[in-house]
Amino acid sequence: MAAVKVKRNELPKLLEGAKAAGYDVFAPARAAEGWAFAPYEGGDVDLDGYLLTTASVKGFVLPQLEAFLSYDNDDGRLAAAPEGKRLLVGVRPCDARALALVDKVYLDRGFRDPLYLARRDNTVLVVWACGRPAPTCFCTSVGGGPGDATGADVMAYEAGDDLLLEASSAKGEGFLKAVKFGEASDAELDEAKATYAKVAEAMTPLWDLEAARPKLYENFEAEAWEEVASRCVSCGACTFVCPSCHCFDVVDEGKHGRGRRVRFWDACTQSPFTLHASGHNPRERKAQRYRQRVLHKFYYFHDNWGENLCVGCGRCVVACPVNVDIREAVSLVAGAD
Amino acid sequence: MPVPATLERVVVETTAADLKSFYLKFKDGPRWDYLPGQFAELSLYGYGESPIGIASSPTEGEELTFTVFNTEGKVTRALHRLAPGAAVGLRGPLGNTWPLEELRGKNVTVIGGGFAFTTQRSLIKYVLANRKDFADLTVVYGARSPGALLYKPELAEWEKSPELTLHLTVDKGDETWTGREGFVPTVVEEEKLPPDDAIALICGPPIMIKFTLPVMDKLGWKPEQIYTSLEMRMKCGVGMCGRCNIGPKYVCVDGPVFSFAELSKLPQEY
């Protein structure tokens, strides 16, 4: 289908239409700390100064904590799959790409997670191509880009006063078909995409991962890991803000035989993550744990799925209280002798 | 979602009572199809889940057996307090199996130490039930003391059986012990366990494995002939929660059984 052309100031009309069609609509809004996806309550969507939300969109499909089972003594019941369509506008390409990566683990590994699947199916991601990457952005160094459509349902390209919307999934197509706006010509779309390709070109590649990847693994025992993790305080902030970190812990919460089994985000950078019941811990030291995080992103996941598990959003760089920088870590370890 | 099962009976395996075997029967529906080497998550509502190797063999009937060490964690402590009739949830069967296709027609050598012997017991029962599919069955099994040996009535049977050769050993005997004293690696060396046309399955404390492997190397065993089963902290058991990996391999879905040839390609982080 052809791309849709919407005037930038017609965006509220589009979103009101989506609400009328039954979507819960979320858009980036200024929050106490940076930006956050908030329920759209009408009016202009002011994205002036917006680049990334502080927390990624991960929480929309993989809540920070969710009860997947409730129990009453010996009777357990699985949580019902969540219902309700959601439309997220202003998602960045890195976040959408991250969800496409998490999909592999939650849907393609063998076990299809029903709660995750329902949320993924119910959520339409309208992805805003990036015109002005931040100094901490490095998507082009890990396989993504400011106009990358991986994981997006609809791609939105800004072109002057216009917004060009192109479907990039069946879900996105379904949404756009119901939208009554003008069509964008192929030429307009190509021109818009070309401007984002220029944005991508202007981003300096950090490293050549094809060369760095095997070095990271070869240098498994390198002293450099100790150096990169020396400041790490094992707080886990990097994993929580990361859109592609997807590990979780499970705990039973309840009293007197009744309660719920919850899963919640966990962090490989924290020591209890791998602590055995015997007291043995294969990743006892923070350097081992930070190495796990970096190698999972750039080597292990790539070994299993052919993609990097890092999307280059730079949130971990921003969130780290002690300035551990994954970009430097890769350079340093890959460059170690 | 854990499948409801009923605890049929409990056998206290060791004199210290720190290991018990739990015989479970599915409440509704038939028993799982499973194979030796696999594990399951044992679920107790209000406590959580623990990944435990299946000690029974699919050739043994309707019950599933789990021999569980009480680590004094939430789940194992609660399990150890259960009486017959209690409800236990089961999620599985999970993980890969002992290399049954590889083993077919070959000499099967089982080397076990301590309470890691459980899924090896499953394999031994499986081989005995399908005896003609395998050549010689040799079992070396050691424990710290006679009281720490698992499955004592069965061991007594196996000692007399012409179907297998059993070398039992304890680190230190007591007044009732008339058998062998010595560590597993020593027994493997003394018995000169032959690598010819054989596959070995070795499970036990890291120190036992560490000292047995060089002995086997000297006897001519190759890393691809030796398999082990690994333990790791796990939550989901299906490759999602992210904590049981060794390099790119997840112990819950790619393991728990690995050959030493496979392990040699992975980081030594387990």
Side-chain angles (χ1 to χ4, degrees):
Chain A
M1 68 178 282
V4 170
K5 181 156 87 176
V6 184
K7 287 275 172 220
R8 186 62 180 74
N9 59 19
E10 287 177 321
L11 186 59
K13 206 168 122 193
L14 178 97
L15 299 183
E16 291 295 352
K19 282 174 82 167
Y23 287 96
D24 288 332
V25 178
F26 295 84
R30 287 176 197 280
E33 284 180 51
W35 293 74
F37 284 97
Y40 174 69
E41 278 157 0
D44 189 25
V45 181
D46 178 14
L47 295 180
D48 191 30
Y50 165 67
L51 178 66
L52 276 177
T53 48
T54 305
S56 79
V57 298
K58 159 171 90 174
F60 279 88
V61 290
L62 188 62
Q64 184 162 6
L65 182 144
E66 75 176 317
F68 61 93
L69 189 154
S70 61
Y71 59 85
D72 185 343
N73 291 296
D74 299 334
D75 289 325
R77 198 185 315 160
L78 271 190
E83 288 173 14
K85 297 187 290 180
R86 296 177 303 186
L87 184 84
L88 270 61
V89 293
V91 175
R92 288 304 185 185
C94 46
D95 276 17
R97 182 180 180 84
L99 293 190
L101 297 168
V102 178
D103 285 352
K104 295 177 189 299
V105 179
Y106 277 62
L107 303 175
D108 301 342
R109 174 102 220 195
F111 178 78
R112 285 171 82 77
D113 186 289
L115 300 180
Y116 179 85
L117 179 64
R119 290 203 180 86
R120 276 298 263 145
D121 281 349
N122 294 344
T123 307
V124 175
L125 302 177
V126 180
V127 171
W128 240 244
C130 285
R132 280 193 306 269
T136 45
C137 288
F138 58 102
C139 54
T140 55
S141 297
V142 290
D148 178 27
T150 307
D153 296 305
V154 174
M155 280 302 290
Y157 305 98
E158 286 178 307
D161 289 338
D162 295 325
L163 200 55
L164 312 183
L165 303 174
E166 186 185 35
S168 56
S169 77
K171 227 190 314 175
E173 200 163 301
F175 170 72
L176 282 189
K177 264 188 189 149
V179 168
K180 303 278 177 288
F181 286 94
E183 280 186 13
S185 69
D186 288 349
E188 284 174 308
L189 196 59
D190 288 345
E191 195 183 327
K193 285 183 182 176
T195 63
Y196 289 100
K198 285 209 185 79
V199 175
E201 280 165 34
M203 292 174 77
T204 320
L206 291 177
W207 358 251
D208 171 12
L209 264 186
E210 296 315 309
R213 185 177 296 113
K215 295 289 283 178
L216 289 175
Y217 195 52
E218 281 164 32
N219 290 339
F220 191 86
E221 302 291 352
E223 196 57 30
W225 292 112
E226 301 286 343
E227 195 181 328
V228 299
S230 62
R231 289 193 302 271
C232 178
V233 290
S234 304
C235 69
C238 51
T239 66
F240 300 138
V241 297
C242 176
S244 64
C245 272
H246 54 266
C247 295
F248 60 85
D249 197 355
V250 179
V251 159
D252 284 10
E253 292 182 338
K255 253 186 196 170
H256 311 304
R258 295 165 79 174
R260 54 186 203 158
R261 187 162 285 174
V262 299
R263 73 168 166 198
F264 50 96
W265 297 352
D266 203 355
C268 61
T269 53
Q270 297 176 343
S271 173
F273 190 69
T274 48
L275 178 63
H276 290 201
S278 64
H280 170 64
N281 192 344
R283 297 199 278 264
E284 196 166 29
R285 295 195 341 274
K286 61 185 183 177
Q288 296 170 316
R289 299 193 292 271
Y290 193 70
R291 176 178 65 192
Q292 160 65 21
R293 182 159 196 273
V294 173
L295 288 181
H296 189 202
K297 298 273 174 222
F298 296 106
Y299 192 90
Y300 304 154
F301 192 87
H302 191 273
D303 197 57
N304 285 322
W305 302 103
E307 305 269 5
N308 302 302
L309 187 60
C310 172
V311 294
C313 70
R315 283 190 182 90
C316 58
V317 179
V318 175
C320 182
V322 292
N323 295 330
V324 176
D325 189 327
I326 198 164
R327 300 169 299 179
E328 287 170 16
V330 170
S331 302
L332 201 69
V333 177
D337 295 321
Chain B
M1 176 81 188
V3 181
T6 307
L7 182 57
E8 297 281 307
R9 58 200 169 98
V10 180
V11 173
V12 178
E13 294 285 355
T14 54
T15 42
D18 51 358
L19 279 133
K20 292 182 181 176
S21 287
F22 299 87
Y23 292 78
L24 298 166
K25 206 163 176 180
F26 288 101
K27 217 168 145 196
D28 332 288
R31 200 207 66 201
W32 294 329
D33 277 328
Y34 68 98
L35 288 168
Q38 290 191 285
F39 68 99
E41 290 277 356
L42 266 55
S43 161
L44 289 180
Y45 289 134
Y47 300 94
E49 291 186 322
S50 275
I52 309 284
I54 307 176
S56 52
S57 157
T59 52
E60 284 189 288
E62 288 305 296
E63 284 176 341
L64 239 59
T65 313
F66 297 88
T67 305
V68 182
F69 176 64
N70 183 358
T71 63
E72 295 292 341
K74 270 190 195 169
V75 177
T76 60
R77 185 192 297 151
L79 259 176
H80 269 248
R81 288 182 185 156
L82 293 184
V88 177
L90 289 173
R91 213 154 51 76
L94 301 169
N96 67 357
T97 72
W98 288 117
L100 295 167
E101 283 313 310
E102 290 272 313
L103 288 167
R104 212 162 291 279
K106 295 232 174 69
N107 296 318
V108 180
T109 304
V110 175
I111 302 169
F115 52 83
F117 192 55
T118 61
T119 68
Q120 291 178 319
R121 180 206 174 264
S122 171
L123 189 274
I124 294 167
K125 293 297 279 186
Y126 185 86
V127 170
L128 291 174
N130 299 282
R131 196 64 195 88
K132 59 182 187 326
D133 295 344
F134 304 90
D136 293 347
L137 173 61
T138 308
V139 178
V140 176
Y141 176 38
R144 237 171 252 172
S145 63
L149 288 166
L150 303 177
Y151 318 122
K152 288 181 208 51
E154 224 157 41
L155 295 176
E157 259 174 60
W158 292 347
E159 280 201 301
K160 283 178 268 168
S161 169
E163 307 276 354
L164 77 164
T165 310
L166 176 65
H167 303 290
L168 268 188
T169 183
V170 296
D171 297 355
K172 185 102 188 69
D174 56 18
E175 58 281 6
T176 62
W177 183 251
T178 54
R180 193 166 192 158
E181 281 189 356
F183 296 118
V184 165
T186 318
V187 174
V188 171
E189 192 165 28
E190 284 171 4
E191 296 297 332
K192 297 192 174 52
L193 297 183
D196 317 283
D197 211 22
I199 300 280
L201 315 171
I202 181 166
C203 271
I207 191 86
M208 179 201 99
I209 294 177
K210 187 182 162 188
F211 285 104
T212 307
L213 288 178
V215 171
M216 295 180 79
D217 180 57
K218 245 197 288 175
L219 291 168
W221 290 83
K222 304 230 151 42
E224 52 272 23
Q225 283 177 280
I226 314 173
Y227 287 80
T228 189
S229 179
L230 296 177
E231 287 185 322
M232 209 48 104
R233 182 174 191 154
M234 290 176 192
K235 291 284 172 174
C236 72
V238 290
M240 286 162 49
C241 79
R243 71 201 60 240
C244 71
N245 73 299
I246 302 172
K249 299 288 181 199
Y250 286 79
V251 172
C252 67
V253 287
D254 299 312
V257 175
F258 294 93
S259 75
F260 279 93
E262 292 170 284
L263 289 178
S264 70
K265 294 191 202 105
L266 298 175
Q268 302 300 301
E269 194 180 63
Y270 46 89

